[in-house]
Amino acid sequence: MKCYRGHRFIPILCLGGIFCLILVLSSTGFCQTSDAGSGQKQTEAAEQAEAIEAAEAGEAPEKAVPSSKKRDEFIPMGLEPPDPEVLELTDQGIRYYNGQGVERNYEKAAKLFLKAAEKGDAAAQYTLGYMNEHGKGVPQDLKKACEWYRRAAKQGHVLAQYSYAHMLYSGKTKEESVEKAAQWYKKAANHKNAMPVHHYSLGVIYDKGAGLAQDSEKAAQWYQRAAEGGYAPAQHCIANMYYKGEEVPKDYWKALNWYKRANAQGLVQSGYCVGIIYYNGDGIPKNYEKAAEYFQKAADADYPPAIYSLAILYENGEGVAKNPRRALLLYHNAADAGYGDAMYRLGMTHIKGSFGETRDEAKAVDWFHQAVNNGSMEAAYALGVVYEDGLGSIEAAPEKAAKWYLKAAEANHAKAQSRMGVLYDKGLGVEKNPKAAAKWHRKAAFQGVAYSRRRYAEMCYEAIAVDRNFDRAFKWYEAAARQGDIEAQYRLGMMYLKGQGVAQDDVKAYAWLSIAAAQGNNMAAEQRNVLKARMTDEQINSGEELFTALYQDILL
């Protein structure tokens, strides 16, 4: 699944907003210890927190209904009553931290929280961890922060568990341990007061296999839980899963809805993905206008892929009025933001002399190099083409071509994988190596490159560097034939004719040989005529009907 890649989702410490929430709004903040702490806080603490909440909202708190029972009657057996001094310390600490009724003073707040923390109050310990981590009221001290988080985490404080896990995971202390971090992330996610971000982070841990065995199914479950809790990055991950069909059935409509939900919360890349779905027509009719709308919104937020995609729309006049000058400006904007594929497109303008740019092979190659340095494998492939064929003043250099094709191929660039297969087939820029050729053609075949599908089928049929396998050869010939590869269509017809890798079938053989013959393959025409001489009129009519259907499907 690897949701954390591409969008850089890793366990993150979202404590700024959470900390304020605990200080101001939560009745479980400094007024209630955890299950493993020194005891449950009582009614006064809840009333105090409610009063603070009401004050923030500008409301008067309700008066408590007097009880005729003694306080001790409400204390469960085996638990100590709350320490009034701790309650007072934390209350004053909150007020100084937030500037409620007093001038804000982090230093005084830190001293008050320290006294409460030393008396074992988990919330105060967590707060001191936060203040030490961020240098609020005390000098920044990550070691002390980690220790206070650890002490609160051991008492079951969920934010402390999460914060301690993050420090262990990110190596902010000498105690770095991914395995230990994973266990604390797990505790936080399973806590009764866990937040969606805690669920999401455990999903990342399972997704990445960091400290726990990699488990995409469990990652998906935690992402789903966090997404349903309203956490935007998790919603984006769930959308990715439905889009790609990872751990869930592929469902473009659900992907679209989850992307929209994440985008509504401000996740820019989710809006960009909505635009991609509209542009490609993934599971829905293509809608270039909608794509342009979402690309524009993401571009306005300075998201480089969206700026680049918007440039393509202006270049082609898709969903917007065609405007080459606007496209060129957007390509430059995306390139200035470090987007490699935009640099590649600028290089191509100097190859083609488009957008009013002059033809200049040296400038093109310079842009391609910059693009590769910024992650564009399209540019690496382009450099392979330049050095394989030579371009203007740039002489052909097969060894350099092989180097650039290999770089792109190893990054899963389909056409580069196919070219590596060709180079190893023919010994161009590399030593001839049929096994290596078969490896790269197979990879490209799985990515849909028609030539490599046909070539790998030939290798399976003729036992070139792989075991002879007619079934596999038939499969790849058919895939290439349906993509319009004429030679594959001829070979597929012959396999039907001979019954190799498939049941013998004169009608299907006739149809496929006719398709190849219609495109100028003379051997296919000869074989079709020989076959026709032995077929019945009924078979010929069936063959012609199938030929017509294939012709419309493949060639029209």
Side-chain angles (χ1 to χ4, degrees), residues 2 27 73 134 143 167 169 244 284 304 309 321 338 385 416 453 456:
K2 305 303 179 207
S27 62
E73 293 177 9
H134 298 279
K143 185 176 180 181
M167 296 198 79
Y169 183 90
K244 298 175 183 177
I284 58 174
S309 297
V385 173
R453 286 180 164 183
Y456 187 61

Side-chain angles (χ1 to χ4, degrees), residues 445-488:
F446 274 105
Q447 293 209 71
V449 179
Y451 174 82
S452 284
R453 286 180 164 183
R454 189 244 294 173
R455 177 56 182 154
Y456 187 61
E458 289 173 353
M459 300 179 94
C460 292
Y461 186 91
E462 298 174 12
I464 300 173
V466 297
D467 294 336
R468 187 184 304 277
N469 189 318
F470 288 145
D471 291 344
R472 192 173 295 149
F474 175 84
K475 166 191 167 184
W476 288 114
Y477 273 138
E478 183 178 31
R482 291 188 178 279
Q483 287 180 269
D485 188 288
I486 300 171
E487 182 67 19

Side-chain angles (χ1 to χ4, degrees), residues 170-217:
S170 59
K172 287 189 175 182
T173 70
K174 293 181 180 179
E175 197 185 349
E176 178 181 1
S177 171
V178 173
E179 290 75 18
K180 190 183 289 187
Q183 293 304 318
W184 283 108
Y185 277 127
K186 194 173 182 179
K187 286 184 179 182
N190 283 291
H191 196 285
K192 63 181 180 180
N193 295 325
M195 297 179 177
V197 65
H198 305 151
H199 301 148
Y200 168 76
S201 295
L202 185 59
V204 173
I205 292 296
Y206 276 119
D207 199 355
K208 193 174 182 179
L212 293 171
Q214 201 281 334
D215 191 326
S216 295
E217 185 176 349

Side-chain angles (χ1 to χ4, degrees), residues 240-254:
N240 281 343
M241 288 161 50
Y242 279 116
Y243 187 83
K244 298 175 183 177
E246 294 178 337
E247 302 306 322
V248 293
K250 183 176 285 190
D251 190 323
Y252 290 125
W253 186 249
K254 286 185 178 179

Side-chain angles (χ1 to χ4, degrees), residues 1 23 75 84 104 113 203 303 317 343 375 425 475 517-518 552:
M1 184 190 307
L23 288 177
I75 300 172
R104 176 174 287 175
F113 289 139
Y303 190 56
M343 299 173 188
D425 259 335
K475 166 191 167 184
Q552 291 176 341

Side-chain angles (χ1 to χ4, degrees), residues 13 19 73 110 208 238 266 279 291 342 350 428 521 554:
L13 191 59
F19 182 67
E73 293 177 9
K208 193 174 182 179
I238 287 293
Y279 183 85
H350 289 291
L428 299 173
N521 188 304
I554 296 170

Side-chain angles (χ1 to χ4, degrees), residues 302-321:
D302 296 325
Y303 190 56
I307 300 171
Y308 169 76
S309 297
L310 195 60
I312 292 175
L313 297 189
Y314 276 107
E315 180 180 355
N316 299 327
E318 297 170 326
V320 293

